[in-house]
Amino acid sequence: MQEIQALYQSHLNVLLEDSYRLLEAQGFDGLLVASGDPKPCFLDDHDYPFVVNPHFKRWLPLTDNPYCYLLLRIGQRPRLLYHKPADYWHAAAGEPSGYWVDSFDIELVADETAALKALGQWDLRRVACIAEEVQLAEHLPDIELNPPGLLAAMHYGRACKSDYELHCLREANRIAVGGHLAAREAFFGGRTELEVHLAYLAACGCTEAQSPYGNIVAFNENAAILHNDRYGTVAPPQRHSFLIDAGATFEGYIADITRTYAANKGTFAELVARMDLEQQGICGEVQAEVDFVALHERMHHRLASVLSDSGIVTCDADTAFAQGLTRLFFPHGLGHLIGLQTHDVGGWQMNAAGDQYPVHADYPALRLQRTLQPGMAVTIEPGLYFIDQLLEPERSSSLLNWPLIDELRPCGGIRIEDTLVATATGAENLTRPAFVELG
Ligand code: GLY
Ligand code: MN
Ligand code: MN
């Protein structure tokens, strides 16, 4: 507790300094950040699961409370309107508590109306507001809602994490790894996809709605569906493979981990082992000042060697790369920024002003085109899949070893994903130590 409190305090101090500088540069005296509103289901009487404004949870680890507002006025103590309803229909937030509360002047509000009334009494001149709620602008005509220049600068800057944020990412990874170990046991214990999913959640101690993204649980050929989130309820007659991409959160920060297992010894098991080696190899190339697009392309070269060595292609690695064959087997990006969001914003930004890289001609699915900086947290998640939609149009190609591809097709594919933080001299893997510790 003491350690996280000190980390949080220093995170908050730096965030305040940086934000004040940004606000001043853009002509604002303050920043109002809303936690968000509940979203009702169409023509129904209940809400979708609440997802907090990521800008809000960067300031404090309050992730499950709508109608909260944070005001940061340059030179003043941060103020928080804390939503504390009197409600016996639903579970409501308790008293504000935790290592963060002493950093804010807190005012309790019972509902949205009370929150808007309290906001109406605050001086919001020259205040920028980050909120999804358009109706705020009607109630508070003085605020400027989501100024693009400010958002761009904040999105760009948050790629690099504070020590507090890295601590939270490590903890999120530890929680998720507990889930991964339980899921692996459930798979090898003969459970169904749905049962594996539930075993994962139970081990993480969270509900599906509290997960950062829908667990991807895929047996056999389902592993070729990059986001397989419809879980089979019947155990397949034969088990070839198991791919699980599932995360967790700690204080609003996200883990995003993928592992792939072969059910039996043989060609696919060898391929999984080789992809794990290559994944670790490319992780070894992560370092500040490395261009992520170049890293992604180097992974394609590694994959070309895997395809050639295993005989999946009939040509050498250089030809496989030059002919674009690796893109048939690895259609997504090597990784993305991660932090407050699974796919954290800002991966396509060239600079803090908000200029964007154009979609990459060869790698349109790549979510990160920036040069790595110290403290930048990214996932590294190479894949090798047997996806009919991509492979079938190439049926006539003699560069592809169809008998072997057809043999491997029931295994679906492989993805191995860790989170790394770049440093000046290399990178820290935030995922693997938890597998060693808990595994
Ligand atoms: N779990 C989504 C991703 O790996 O990007
Ligand atoms: Mn990912
Ligand atoms: Mn993932």
Side-chain angles (χ1 to χ4, degrees), residues 147-160:
L150 188 66
L151 284 185
M154 289 186 160
H155 289 169
Y156 190 75
R158 81 175 200 223
C160 294

PDB file of all heavy atoms in Angstrom, residues 147-160:
ATOM      1  N   PRO A 147     -11.253  19.444 -26.918  1.00  0.00           N
ATOM      2  CA  PRO A 147     -10.461  20.182 -27.915  1.00  0.00           C
ATOM      3  C   PRO A 147      -9.460  19.253 -28.592  1.00  0.00           C
ATOM      4  O   PRO A 147      -8.662  18.596 -27.903  1.00  0.00           O
ATOM      5  CB  PRO A 147      -9.729  21.238 -27.087  1.00  0.00           C
ATOM      6  CG  PRO A 147     -10.257  21.149 -25.705  1.00  0.00           C
ATOM      7  CD  PRO A 147     -11.050  19.910 -25.551  1.00  0.00           C
ATOM      8  N   PRO A 148      -9.482  19.174 -29.918  1.00  0.00           N
ATOM      9  CA  PRO A 148      -8.656  18.172 -30.606  1.00  0.00           C
ATOM     10  C   PRO A 148      -7.164  18.324 -30.321  1.00  0.00           C
ATOM     11  O   PRO A 148      -6.466  17.328 -30.169  1.00  0.00           O
ATOM     12  CB  PRO A 148      -8.954  18.415 -32.099  1.00  0.00           C
ATOM     13  CG  PRO A 148     -10.221  19.188 -32.128  1.00  0.00           C
ATOM     14  CD  PRO A 148     -10.329  19.937 -30.830  1.00  0.00           C
ATOM     15  N   GLY A 149      -6.673  19.564 -30.218  1.00  0.00           N
ATOM     16  CA  GLY A 149      -5.237  19.762 -29.983  1.00  0.00           C
ATOM     17  C   GLY A 149      -4.801  19.203 -28.635  1.00  0.00           C
ATOM     18  O   GLY A 149      -3.736  18.593 -28.503  1.00  0.00           O
ATOM     19  N   LEU A 150      -5.650  19.409 -27.632  1.00  0.00           N
ATOM     20  CA  LEU A 150      -5.327  18.923 -26.292  1.00  0.00           C
ATOM     21  C   LEU A 150      -5.385  17.391 -26.255  1.00  0.00           C
ATOM     22  O   LEU A 150      -4.498  16.725 -25.704  1.00  0.00           O
ATOM     23  CB  LEU A 150      -6.321  19.513 -25.295  1.00  0.00           C
ATOM     24  CG  LEU A 150      -6.018  19.263 -23.829  1.00  0.00           C
ATOM     25  CD1 LEU A 150      -4.738  19.993 -23.416  1.00  0.00           C
ATOM     26  CD2 LEU A 150      -7.174  19.707 -22.945  1.00  0.00           C
ATOM     27  N   LEU A 151      -6.430  16.847 -26.878  1.00  0.00           N
ATOM     28  CA  LEU A 151      -6.549  15.384 -26.904  1.00  0.00           C
ATOM     29  C   LEU A 151      -5.346  14.762 -27.596  1.00  0.00           C
ATOM     30  O   LEU A 151      -4.785  13.766 -27.123  1.00  0.00           O
ATOM     31  CB  LEU A 151      -7.833  14.963 -27.642  1.00  0.00           C
ATOM     32  CG  LEU A 151      -9.143  15.126 -26.894  1.00  0.00           C
ATOM     33  CD1 LEU A 151     -10.286  14.558 -27.727  1.00  0.00           C
ATOM     34  CD2 LEU A 151      -9.104  14.428 -25.545  1.00  0.00           C
ATOM     35  N   ALA A 152      -4.961  15.351 -28.731  1.00  0.00           N
ATOM     36  CA  ALA A 152      -3.838  14.781 -29.488  1.00  0.00           C
ATOM     37  C   ALA A 152      -2.572  14.759 -28.636  1.00  0.00           C
ATOM     38  O   ALA A 152      -1.859  13.752 -28.584  1.00  0.00           O
ATOM     39  CB  ALA A 152      -3.608  15.580 -30.767  1.00  0.00           C
ATOM     40  N   ALA A 153      -2.314  15.861 -27.927  1.00  0.00           N
ATOM     41  CA  ALA A 153      -1.096  15.927 -27.113  1.00  0.00           C
ATOM     42  C   ALA A 153      -1.159  14.908 -25.975  1.00  0.00           C
ATOM     43  O   ALA A 153      -0.163  14.241 -25.666  1.00  0.00           O
ATOM     44  CB  ALA A 153      -0.924  17.334 -26.556  1.00  0.00           C
ATOM     45  N   MET A 154      -2.326  14.771 -25.381  1.00  0.00           N
ATOM     46  CA  MET A 154      -2.442  13.820 -24.263  1.00  0.00           C
ATOM     47  C   MET A 154      -2.328  12.382 -24.755  1.00  0.00           C
ATOM     48  O   MET A 154      -1.700  11.536 -24.107  1.00  0.00           O
ATOM     49  CB  MET A 154      -3.760  14.030 -23.533  1.00  0.00           C
ATOM     50  CG  MET A 154      -3.750  15.329 -22.757  1.00  0.00           C
ATOM     51  SD  MET A 154      -5.209  15.531 -21.756  1.00  0.00           S
ATOM     52  CE  MET A 154      -4.613  16.737 -20.581  1.00  0.00           C
ATOM     53  N   HIS A 155      -2.944  12.108 -25.890  1.00  0.00           N
ATOM     54  CA  HIS A 155      -2.884  10.742 -26.426  1.00  0.00           C
ATOM     55  C   HIS A 155      -1.457  10.362 -26.805  1.00  0.00           C
ATOM     56  O   HIS A 155      -1.021   9.234 -26.570  1.00  0.00           O
ATOM     57  CB  HIS A 155      -3.803  10.613 -27.651  1.00  0.00           C
ATOM     58  CG  HIS A 155      -5.254  10.647 -27.292  1.00  0.00           C
ATOM     59  ND1 HIS A 155      -6.258  10.765 -28.219  1.00  0.00           N
ATOM     60  CD2 HIS A 155      -5.873  10.596 -26.080  1.00  0.00           C
ATOM     61  CE1 HIS A 155      -7.432  10.772 -27.603  1.00  0.00           C
ATOM     62  NE2 HIS A 155      -7.231  10.678 -26.315  1.00  0.00           N
ATOM     63  N   TYR A 156      -0.753  11.316 -27.350  1.00  0.00           N
ATOM     64  CA  TYR A 156       0.627  11.044 -27.751  1.00  0.00           C
ATOM     65  C   TYR A 156       1.494  10.779 -26.513  1.00  0.00           C
ATOM     66  O   TYR A 156       2.249   9.814 -26.446  1.00  0.00           O
ATOM     67  CB  TYR A 156       1.174  12.242 -28.528  1.00  0.00           C
ATOM     68  CG  TYR A 156       2.496  11.985 -29.195  1.00  0.00           C
ATOM     69  CD1 TYR A 156       2.556  11.196 -30.349  1.00  0.00           C
ATOM     70  CD2 TYR A 156       3.673  12.530 -28.693  1.00  0.00           C
ATOM     71  CE1 TYR A 156       3.770  10.963 -30.979  1.00  0.00           C
ATOM     72  CE2 TYR A 156       4.885  12.303 -29.322  1.00  0.00           C
ATOM     73  CZ  TYR A 156       4.930  11.523 -30.474  1.00  0.00           C
ATOM     74  OH  TYR A 156       6.123  11.285 -31.090  1.00  0.00           O
ATOM     75  N   GLY A 157       1.318  11.627 -25.509  1.00  0.00           N
ATOM     76  CA  GLY A 157       2.186  11.569 -24.325  1.00  0.00           C
ATOM     77  C   GLY A 157       1.969  10.338 -23.479  1.00  0.00           C
ATOM     78  O   GLY A 157       2.909   9.841 -22.853  1.00  0.00           O
ATOM     79  N   ARG A 158       0.749   9.816 -23.464  1.00  0.00           N
ATOM     80  CA  ARG A 158       0.506   8.745 -22.498  1.00  0.00           C
ATOM     81  C   ARG A 158       1.048   7.390 -22.943  1.00  0.00           C
ATOM     82  O   ARG A 158       0.939   6.408 -22.209  1.00  0.00           O
ATOM     83  CB  ARG A 158      -0.964   8.684 -22.119  1.00  0.00           C
ATOM     84  CG  ARG A 158      -1.887   7.983 -23.057  1.00  0.00           C
ATOM     85  CD  ARG A 158      -3.281   7.960 -22.388  1.00  0.00           C
ATOM     86  NE  ARG A 158      -4.100   6.936 -22.973  1.00  0.00           N
ATOM     87  CZ  ARG A 158      -5.376   7.107 -23.291  1.00  0.00           C
ATOM     88  NH1 ARG A 158      -5.974   8.263 -23.057  1.00  0.00           N
ATOM     89  NH2 ARG A 158      -6.069   6.122 -23.807  1.00  0.00           N
ATOM     90  N   ALA A 159       1.651   7.337 -24.118  1.00  0.00           N
ATOM     91  CA  ALA A 159       2.310   6.093 -24.547  1.00  0.00           C
ATOM     92  C   ALA A 159       3.440   5.729 -23.593  1.00  0.00           C
ATOM     93  O   ALA A 159       3.720   4.553 -23.367  1.00  0.00           O
ATOM     94  CB  ALA A 159       2.847   6.247 -25.969  1.00  0.00           C
ATOM     95  N   CYS A 160       4.099   6.748 -23.032  1.00  0.00           N
ATOM     96  CA  CYS A 160       5.212   6.503 -22.101  1.00  0.00           C
ATOM     97  C   CYS A 160       4.676   6.496 -20.678  1.00  0.00           C
ATOM     98  O   CYS A 160       3.996   7.430 -20.264  1.00  0.00           O
ATOM     99  CB  CYS A 160       6.291   7.569 -22.259  1.00  0.00           C
ATOM    100  SG  CYS A 160       7.079   7.457 -23.869  1.00  0.00           S
TER     101      CYS A 160
END
